[in-house]
Amino acid sequence: QVQLVESGGGLVQPGGSLRLSCAASGSIVSIGTMGWYRQASGNQRELVATITRSGNTNSADSVLGRFTISRDNARSTVYLQMNSLRPEDTAVYYCYAYVTLRSGSTSSYWGQGTQVTVSS
């Protein structure tokens, strides 16, 4: 089995910064694309940013220039640096990873979610 454990969420004032981390563990051979999605109350889950194993990134237009995704393959960890936060960034943020298991199978996994609240 695979576990994705997120950390770094919390309450921050508009204009502030937070850094989310997500560490993967378990019967992992390799991890392909990793990413972050978010879901605000009453809304569908939406893409925030993704990063391939080689470091190619893709980000939602709403976070371009403010959020930066990165990863440490040796630590099986993905990060999301969030700057210039706005109230509309308030949501539960979910980590995602596409994993190859020791059994040879591949599957997608999600973290449990971490709350980010931007408010004065």
Side-chain angles (χ1 to χ4, degrees), residues 49-107:
T50 61
I51 183 168
T52 66
R53 184 171 181 82
S54 60
N56 294 317
T57 63
N58 178 50
S59 299
D61 289 345
S62 59
V63 306
L64 279 174
R66 301 187 299 122
F67 292 10
T68 302
I69 188 170
S70 61
R71 66 189 283 172
D72 183 336
N73 290 331
R75 290 183 167 83
S76 299
T77 300
V78 62
Y79 306 95
L80 186 68
Q81 177 66 43
M82 303 185 293
N83 299 327
S84 302
L85 282 159
R86 305 167 179 168
E88 54 263 40
D89 295 318
T90 296
V92 178
Y93 284 70
Y94 296 92
C95 169
Y96 160 89
Y98 187 73
V99 176
T100 300
L101 304 175
R102 290 176 185 168
S103 65
S105 63
T106 58
S107 187

Side-chain angles (χ1 to χ4, degrees), residues 3 5 9 14 20 23 25 28-29 32 40-41 44 48 56 59-61 70 76 93 96 104 107 110:
Q3 297 80 39
V5 178
L20 305 183
S25 63
I28 299 171
V29 171
S41 179
Q44 291 185 335
V48 177
N56 294 317
S59 299
D61 289 345
S70 61
S76 299
Y93 284 70
Y96 160 89
S107 187
W110 292 89

Side-chain angles (χ1 to χ4, degrees), residues 4-10 19-23 36 78 80 95 112-114:
L4 299 181
V5 178
E6 299 141 342
S7 61
R19 189 191 195 209
L20 305 183
S21 300
C22 172
W36 292 93
V78 62
L80 186 68
C95 169
Q112 79 284 359
T114 185

